[in-house]
Amino acid sequence: MPPAFPTFKPLELQDRSVVEELLWRSQPQASEYTFTNLFIWRWRYQVSWAQLGEWLLFLCRDRDGSPYGLQPIGPRPEAAVVREFLSWLGTQVSPRAARLERVEESWAQVAAEDGDLLAEPDRDQFDYVYLTQDLIQLAGRKYHSKRNHVNRALREFSPTYEPLEERHVQACLEVASRWCAARRCCDDLGLVDEWDAVREALRHFRDLRAQGGVVLIDGKVEAFALGELLNAETAVVHLEKANPAIPPLFALINQQACAHLWPEVPFVNREQDLGDPGLRRAKESYHPHHMVRKFRVRFRHSLEKISIGA
């Protein structure tokens, strides 16, 4: 049985069927709201969950231990649910906890219509969403450099693509390890956390029912991607790594994963840039079709309301 609010339990693999069903029913737009994403990041964010009526609630913690909530997941946005969750966070956890992060625009609009609630856009968390066929075909002048990278990889390395299987997992971990070493993950706590999430995703990808693919050169895995359906019209890419010594493979695995895994799905969500300038440039270079705007929601108190259209 799902834990009944206000009792929260840590998210575990055995919760997948219940949580995944409720998430899918809501057809989320933001990349956070898949069981796979919540599960692979559960240690970093200390993710726990509870059910309040028709809604699913998630409790998380910042690196310093400060708690906060995610957007309620349910049949429709309701300010009353937001208020109840925020009130509980503020009175039963701590005043600092009375905030919801990664809130989709539909919920933010409902919150902003409530005179006691404030919805603030969080640009660093906006998701980049692309037309799948754009990422597959790479047509036109704007994708000229991407096509060059893909063609160079095909010409110089004669790579092959295969669906991700358990026999590839160790090789994928080695690719991720080389990528991590090149990026000096040991000096960046965020990249250390990402490395942990990569290991969780690869080791449990069968149980999570995630979809993935690998690119091989001379029979050796040199790049991989892993994702799943976020909603009926959008796939989300959770992981994408390549051997840093072979730069064209980054463009190739992007294109090949979309072509083999989600060719019939209209959109691909490639998650957020977290405010990293280099990552922002890279995501913008693929020319997103639109952004999934996300918000922070809290009680207004003495602050002025920030318009949803800001």
Side-chain angles (χ1 to χ4, degrees), residues 15 82 93 99 130 155 182 187 215 219 222 232 241 253 255 292:
D15 301 324
V82 173
V93 181
R99 59 189 172 96
Y130 307 84
R155 182 177 64 251
D187 297 331
V215 167
E222 297 288 5
K241 303 294 180 192
I253 187 59
Q255 188 256 358
V292 174

Side-chain angles (χ1 to χ4, degrees), residues 33 55-58 70-74 81-82 85 100 103 107:
Y33 301 116
W55 288 271
L56 199 60
L57 305 181
F58 293 101
L70 295 182
Q71 166 193 309
I73 297 295
V81 178
V82 173
F85 194 12
L100 303 184
V103 177
W107 279 86

Side-chain angles (χ1 to χ4, degrees), residues 128-264:
Y128 293 75
V129 183
Y130 307 84
L131 287 171
T132 307
Q133 288 304 311
D134 281 354
L135 300 185
I136 294 172
Q137 297 174 12
L138 300 176
R141 293 181 60 184
K142 65 182 181 180
Y143 288 110
H144 176 73
S145 64
K146 305 300 182 186
R147 286 198 308 277
N148 283 347
H149 289 312
V150 169
N151 290 334
R152 179 187 166 197
L154 295 173
R155 182 177 64 251
E156 295 184 10
F157 302 103
S158 300
T160 57
Y161 174 92
E162 292 182 3
L164 176 65
E165 297 180 0
E166 290 182 10
R167 61 189 175 89
H168 298 127
V169 167
Q170 185 55 44
C172 289
L173 288 168
E174 291 169 6
V175 169
S177 180
R178 289 198 294 273
W179 180 91
C180 204
R183 293 288 299 273
R184 298 186 60 83
C185 287
C186 57
D187 297 331
D188 186 324
L189 288 176
L191 293 179
V192 170
D193 294 333
E194 183 181 353
W195 173 228
D196 290 339
V198 168
R199 284 183 292 200
E200 288 292 291
L202 288 171
R203 289 171 177 170
H204 295 287
F205 87 95
R206 285 295 190 201
D207 293 325
L208 294 170
R209 299 184 182 178
Q211 302 166 281
V214 297
V215 167
L216 301 93
I217 297 176
D218 296 327
K220 182 181 179 182
V221 174
E222 297 288 5
F224 69 92
L226 184 144
E228 62 186 321
L229 287 181
L230 173 62
N231 57 56
E233 294 191 337
T234 311
V236 56
V237 179
H238 295 307
L239 306 176
E240 190 177 86
K241 303 294 180 192
N243 184 340
I246 313 176
L249 289 186
F250 289 93
L252 182 66
I253 187 59
N254 183 334
Q255 188 256 358
Q256 289 289 296
C258 291
H260 287 87
L261 297 173
W262 308 295
E264 304 302 322

